[in-house]
Amino acid sequence: MKISAAPLAAIPHVRHAFFTRGGGVSQGIYASLNGGAGSSDAPDAVRENRARMAAALGVAPDRLLSLWQIHSAAVVTVAGPWRERPRADAMVTATPGLALGIATADCGPVLFADQTSRVIGAAHAGWKGAFSGVLEATLEAMEALGARRAGVVAVLGPAISRDAYEVGPEFVARFLAADPASARHFAPSPRPDHAMFDLPGYIRARLEAAGVGAFHDLGLCTYADEARFYSYRRATHRGEPDYGRMISAIALA
């Protein structure tokens, strides 16, 4: 049902989970622990799935918070639960008892914690968000709450790997125009004029350049591991009408 990261598990006052697709009640293409409030799954099933996740994190169901994710660099500072999801792609808090949940199905879920300051964060880092600065913005928002970025641990959960992420020439050109050094994140593709993009490597590079204290990649590919993970790209290749979303979450005990 969930995967833990040793660097976060070692922090006594932090609870976290990279939930897999197992252990829920959803059916069909959503089987079984779909946490995507924006999916077309049965709402009652999604609520039950999220309640199970909240219980695993030791918080009430309404304390497992999610965003209306828009592939941006927008960050929300959280002090309590909300009725409507803000449009943003990252959250930070210093308030115990709130679980910051990120929904993904190929994009990179990144969980952050500063052990000393007791500040945590969570970011949805697809290529658009990472490219536009969501990771750096998350660190800045954590600093505004008292964190020290050199003391922040960041962990990347299940995401699409380079071997499964083919992109076109316009995609490559956008990255190279912004930073020619981004060339190292692309590998040749079997198709002419295409390339394979290393999203996890790009996320690592952005965070390390930003001065994060430590970065860890779980090295898990959503596309390749159908038994454990949903994948937007896999669903698209199959012509499926929708897809489930995994939740990755972090909370202060």
Side-chain angles (χ1 to χ4, degrees), residues 75-221:
V75 182
V76 176
T77 298
V78 185
W82 45 59
R83 290 189 177 183
E84 294 186 5
R85 293 177 292 153
R87 291 177 178 265
D89 287 276
M91 293 176 278
V92 301
T93 193
T95 303
L98 300 176
L100 311 181
I102 295 297
T104 59
D106 283 339
C107 294
V110 184
L111 302 182
F112 300 78
D114 181 345
Q115 180 171 356
T116 303
S117 69
R118 298 175 73 91
V119 175
I120 57 172
H124 164 241
W127 77 261
K128 288 183 181 178
F131 182 80
S132 60
V134 71
L135 300 166
E136 295 87 345
T138 304
L139 290 172
E140 291 170 5
M142 291 178 70
E143 287 179 320
L145 291 177
R148 189 175 55 89
R149 79 172 58 196
V152 173
V153 174
V155 178
L156 171 63
I160 193 166
S161 69
R162 185 187 68 180
D163 290 346
Y165 200 172
E166 186 182 59
V167 297
E170 299 85 359
F171 186 104
V172 178
R174 180 185 292 110
F175 278 75
L176 297 185
D179 179 8
S182 293
R184 69 187 187 276
H185 302 301
F186 296 93
S189 166
R191 284 206 294 170
D193 299 323
H194 285 66
M196 309 303 291
F197 178 53
D198 183 6
L199 176 62
Y202 184 71
I203 289 171
R204 174 189 290 273
R206 294 287 299 231
L207 282 169
E208 291 180 345
V212 74
F215 174 81
H216 301 269
D217 178 1
L218 294 184
L220 300 171
C221 178

